[in-house]
Amino acid sequence: MRVLFVEDELRLREALCRGLGEEGHEAVGAATGTEGLQLALQQRFDVIVCDILLPGVNGFQLVRQLRDRAVWTPVLMLSAKDGEWDEAEALDAGADGYLTKPFSYVVLKAHLRALARRGSKGGTAPGREVLRSGDLMLDLRARRCARGGTDIELSQREFSILAELLARRGEAVAKEELMRKVWGADFAGDPNIVEVYIGYLRKKVDAPFDRHSIETVRGYGYRLAAAEDEAVHG
Ligand code: CA
């Protein structure tokens, strides 16, 4: 298991990295949020453990920026017991787990194992690098989108929306969920923005190929038709 520890408390960071290292895992430490974010974007990890209060980019900003760039590595958020943040906020920001300090090493390891398992299974897309539905392909690492071998240029938001839909193709994804994941929990603008971006996506991903893969689920959200269904419905 390859773990990134973003933690500004030197002793805790070193103890955890050493503990995991002794058990044959690879642990990389980062002392600031900024450094952690860079590492998380550049290298591949099975799990990221991230403190909330950090110098530079804080834990919430870090996880949001990762999700915004379609990096789905599972994140376990650490928080002080008397911290002003709660578990709901951590999960809303895009974290996959939450642990209150002080915690026991055994409990931490159980969380890491659970998250690493979830990551390797797929989940919302964690661990998966290329998402496909029929001839539509999204390469999360290279941030490339193509249909039938034709490259499609997408903006960051368009890419993130399509990644969400594609990761759960065939399922309806709520508009609010897309909004929260792509624009962030604290986005206070017009919720119709999602519709606007779905329109952009259809113009790029469907219309030029005479397809209708991005469906509207009235009163709820959107669904990317699984390639099989699409064929049946023409
Ligand atoms: Ca801290």
Side-chain angles (χ1 to χ4, degrees), residues 145-178:
C145 175
R147 178 154 237 162
T150 306
D151 274 317
I152 301 170
E153 194 131 340
L154 298 179
S155 72
Q156 189 167 300
R157 303 264 197 221
E158 291 163 358
F159 191 96
S160 300
I161 292 173
L162 190 59
E164 286 296 331
L165 294 176
L166 201 47
R168 286 159 60 187
R169 61 189 169 279
E171 284 175 36
V173 181
K175 197 161 139 182
E176 291 73 27
E177 187 183 340
L178 287 173

Side-chain angles (χ1 to χ4, degrees), residues 210-227:
D210 197 22
R211 303 288 275 276
H212 301 280
S213 65
I214 303 172
E215 302 172 340
T216 300
V217 182
R218 199 159 296 173
Y220 186 78
Y222 303 94
R223 173 176 53 221
L224 188 96

Side-chain angles (χ1 to χ4, degrees), residues 16-135:
L16 292 176
C17 285
R18 195 172 48 240
L20 284 171
E22 281 166 3
E23 291 175 39
H25 300 296
E26 194 182 344
V28 177
T32 69
T34 317
E35 189 192 344
L37 181 62
Q38 276 169 1
L39 283 166
L41 289 171
Q42 288 161 0
Q43 301 180 19
R44 178 145 179 68
F45 295 96
D46 297 303
V47 185
I48 297 168
V49 181
C50 184
D51 192 22
I52 291 174
L53 292 177
L54 290 163
V57 176
N58 73 32
F60 287 137
Q61 293 165 330
L62 190 151
V63 73
R64 281 208 189 104
Q65 291 194 39
L66 288 182
R67 302 309 186 228
D68 209 30
R69 294 171 203 195
V71 173
W72 307 108
T73 313
V75 173
L76 176 66
M77 208 78 114
L78 300 181
S79 170
K81 200 172 187 177
D82 55 353
E84 55 182 305
W85 310 103
D86 65 16
E87 186 167 354
E89 285 170 298
L91 300 178
D92 276 346
D96 304 272
Y98 180 89
L99 197 55
T100 306
K101 287 191 220 175
F103 48 81
S104 83
Y105 185 57
V106 175
V107 170
L108 173 78
K109 278 200 305 178
H111 276 268
L112 292 181
R113 277 195 305 271
L115 288 176
R117 266 202 309 274
R118 196 196 298 181
S120 63
K121 268 195 298 192
T124 323
R128 254 197 247 167
E129 296 184 353
V130 176
L131 300 172
R132 286 175 201 281
S133 178
D135 59 354

Side-chain angles (χ1 to χ4, degrees), residues 134-208:
D135 59 354
L136 182 62
M137 184 281 297
L138 208 56
D139 185 329
L140 300 179
R141 292 261 150 192
R143 296 199 66 79
R144 257 190 70 220
C145 175
R147 178 154 237 162
T150 306
D151 274 317
I152 301 170
E153 194 131 340
L154 298 179
S155 72
Q156 189 167 300
R157 303 264 197 221
E158 291 163 358
F159 191 96
S160 300
I161 292 173
L162 190 59
E164 286 296 331
L165 294 176
L166 201 47
R168 286 159 60 187
R169 61 189 169 279
E171 284 175 36
V173 181
K175 197 161 139 182
E176 291 73 27
E177 187 183 340
L178 287 173
M179 185 125 124
R180 183 163 46 79
K181 287 189 170 163
V182 177
W183 277 268
D186 50 5
F187 177 73
D190 188 347
N192 288 322
I193 189 82
V194 179
E195 220 169 296
V196 173
Y197 273 81
I198 289 286
Y200 295 156
L201 270 175
R202 283 177 172 145
K203 276 190 196 140
K204 292 182 174 183
V205 168
D206 275 350

